[in-house]
């Protein structure tokens, strides 16, 4: 079981967030929002700030947040083992990215390849990106984890990004040099020696690492003309209705100049508002942890129980045979 949200943060940025208001006031110190709009508004600001630890503290009811932290070490146990080849590739890549002269060496290595790729693929970029969009759209349509609303949202985002991706200056040498600098700086900041470290990070350290990756990702996209911060700043939310502690919120935002919108559901818990899908996903994750622990305990108890059973006494067949009766 993988943790249900952080490794897919970009979609929640535009699908479950709302107005990033100017009156952000220590949102991470207060769980939930006083209104549905305030709850999602403060979540947006925390994400924009790269405060993922604060985001989870704000986005979950206190009991769920405490439970999630307690479950953290159990959340990645069912992932596939890391192979020796994967470990070697990771180590080699990190060594190259964090070497003393990594920026110069990597750009020197990239420059001729970039020139060759420009000659070979410049005219094909629109077609190649169109094919990529078709593949992504098929994957979205066939997804068994996304709802129909989430599928529509993902396809809307793809459609908005297509024109940008087709025209972005992917082969620009100066931008490539900037991008290499961002990747190297991010790798040095992460300071990871092996992929195994990613699975053993405690919650607070993991949140810091996620923030470092997110910050580098934002810088990379900005180099090529896509500002995540501009998208977050454009988000606005309107509560459509509130019924029995559940609110239907309509979210609108602008991505690369294209206006988009989506809906999200909020829930009231002890007088504070939270994103319903997010809370539900964390509770389901906890339930899976509980079930896995129970299964492991039962599996360990079975051999112990079998070993504790006393063997039955030996049969009388082991007794010496009696003398034959005389005729």
């Amino acid at each position: 079981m993988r943790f249900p949200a952080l490794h897919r943060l970009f979609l929640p940025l535009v699908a479950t967030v709302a107005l990033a208001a100017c009156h952000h006031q220590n949102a991470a110190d207060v769980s939930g929002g006083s209104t549905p709009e305030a709850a999602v508004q403060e979540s947006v600001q925390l994400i924009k700030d790269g405060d993922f630890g604060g985001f989870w503290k704000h986005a979950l009811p206190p009991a769920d947040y405490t439970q999630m932290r307690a479950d953290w070490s159990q959340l990645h146990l069912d992932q596939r083992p890391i192979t020796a080849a994967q470990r070697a590739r990771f180590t080699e890549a990190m060594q190259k990215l964090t070497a003393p002269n990594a920026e110069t060496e990597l750009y020197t290595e990239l420059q001729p390849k970039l020139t060759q790729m420009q000659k070979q693929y410049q005219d094909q970029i629109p077609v190649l990106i169109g094919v990529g969009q078709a593949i992504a759209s098929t994957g979205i349509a066939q997804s068994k984890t996304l709802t129909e609303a989430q599928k529509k949202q993902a396809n809307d985002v793809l459609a908005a990004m297509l024109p940008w991706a087709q025209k972005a200056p992917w082969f620009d040498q100066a931008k490539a040099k900037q991008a290499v600098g961002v990747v190297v700086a991010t790798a040095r900041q992460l300071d990871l020696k092996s992929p195994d470290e990613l699975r053993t990070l405690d919650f607070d350290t993991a949140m810091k690492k996620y923030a470092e990756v997110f910050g580098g990702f934002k810088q990379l996209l900005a180099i090529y003309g896509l500002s995540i911060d501009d998208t977050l700043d454009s988000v606005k939310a309107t509560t459509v209705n509130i019924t029995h502690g559940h609110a239907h919120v309509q979210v609108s935002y602008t991505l690369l100049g294209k206006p988009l919108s989506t809906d999200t559901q909020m829930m009231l818990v002890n007088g504070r508002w939270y994103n319903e899908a997010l809370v539900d996903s964390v509770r389901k994750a906890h339930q899976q942890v509980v079930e896995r622990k129970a299964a492991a305990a039962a599996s360990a108890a079975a051999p112990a129980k079998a070993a504790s059973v006393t063997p039955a006494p030996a049969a009388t067949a082991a007794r010496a045979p009696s003398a034959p009766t005389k005729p």
Side-chain angles (χ1 to χ4, degrees):
M1 176 199 60
R2 292 175 173 78
F3 193 61
L6 282 179
H7 69 288
R8 297 184 299 176
L9 267 173
F10 183 69
L11 185 57
L13 288 182
V14 293
T16 66
V17 298
L19 179 63
C22 59
H23 66 280
H24 171 56
Q25 43 187 331
N26 299 323
D29 296 332
V30 182
S31 173
S34 58
T35 66
E37 294 94 336
V40 287
Q41 146 194 329
E42 290 157 3
S43 291
V44 171
Q45 188 63 50
L46 288 164
I47 290 173
K48 183 181 175 181
D49 293 344
D51 186 0
F52 292 128
F55 167 80
W56 286 113
K57 186 176 182 180
H58 163 74
L60 297 175
D64 293 286
Y65 173 71
T66 300
Q67 189 60 68
M68 185 195 71
R69 289 181 62 95
D71 289 341
W72 185 256
S73 63
Q74 302 292 317
L75 293 172
H76 306 289
L77 293 182
D78 65 346
Q79 292 186 9
R80 293 180 180 178
I82 300 171
T83 66
Q86 290 171 330
R87 191 172 289 107
R89 286 195 296 269
F90 181 93
T91 301
E92 181 183 3
M94 290 302 291
Q95 287 176 346
K96 290 183 68 173
L97 288 170
T98 58
N101 297 318
E103 297 94 335
T104 302
E105 292 180 3
L106 288 173
Y107 179 66
T108 300
E109 182 181 331
L110 176 64
Q111 192 173 18
K113 294 180 181 178
L114 207 59
T115 301
Q116 179 60 36
M117 289 173 65
Q118 183 174 16
K119 292 178 180 178
Q120 187 173 355
Y121 298 113
Q122 179 71 61
D123 297 334
Q124 301 178 38
I125 282 292
V127 175
L128 293 173
I129 290 177
V131 171
Q133 183 194 27
I135 294 172
S137 296
T138 300
I140 292 168
Q142 295 177 348
S143 173
K144 296 181 180 179
T145 58
L146 295 176
T147 65
E148 290 305 314
Q150 289 171 334
K151 289 179 181 180
K152 180 183 182 304
Q153 175 66 18
N155 280 315
D156 287 347
V157 169
L158 277 177
M161 293 182 68
L162 180 63
W164 163 76
Q166 290 176 329
K167 296 178 181 178
W170 301 117
F171 304 114
D172 185 281
Q173 296 282 352
K175 292 186 183 301
K177 190 171 185 179
Q178 292 179 57
V180 168
V182 169
V183 172
V184 168
T186 302
R188 287 174 177 160
Q189 194 174 16
L190 285 171
D191 191 28
L192 293 172
K193 301 299 187 294
S194 76
D196 306 86
E197 287 185 60
L198 291 171
R199 298 186 181 182
T200 58
L201 296 174
D202 60 67
F203 176 82
D204 293 323
T205 304
M207 295 303 104
K208 291 178 183 177
K209 299 298 182 186
Y210 291 164
E212 290 163 1
V213 172
F214 183 60
F217 181 62
K218 287 204 298 182
Q219 290 181 63
L220 277 178
L221 291 180
I223 288 171
Y224 292 97
L226 195 166
S227 172
I228 290 179
D229 284 347
D230 284 351
T231 297
L232 293 175
D233 287 340
S234 73
V235 178
K236 295 182 180 180
T238 303
T239 298
V240 178
N241 60 61
I242 298 178
T243 306
H244 304 301
H246 295 270
H248 173 197
V249 178
Q250 187 177 63
V251 181
S252 63
Y253 60 98
T254 301
L255 177 62
L256 292 164
K258 184 173 182 179
L260 300 173
S261 65
T262 187
D263 295 315
T264 188
Q265 299 295 321
M266 307 298 291
M267 63 189 295
L268 188 64
V269 180
N270 295 328
R272 306 291 290 179
W273 289 95
Y274 303 90
N275 183 283
E276 189 170 338
L278 197 62
V279 174
D280 184 58
S281 68
V282 169
R283 289 176 178 176
K284 287 180 178 178
H286 171 63
Q287 185 58 37
Q288 291 180 28
V289 169
V290 170
E291 292 172 358
R292 185 166 56 221
K293 286 182 176 179
S299 178
K305 183 177 180 180
S308 67
V309 175
T310 304
T316 54
R319 201 178 298 163
S322 58
T325 304
K326 291 183 180 180

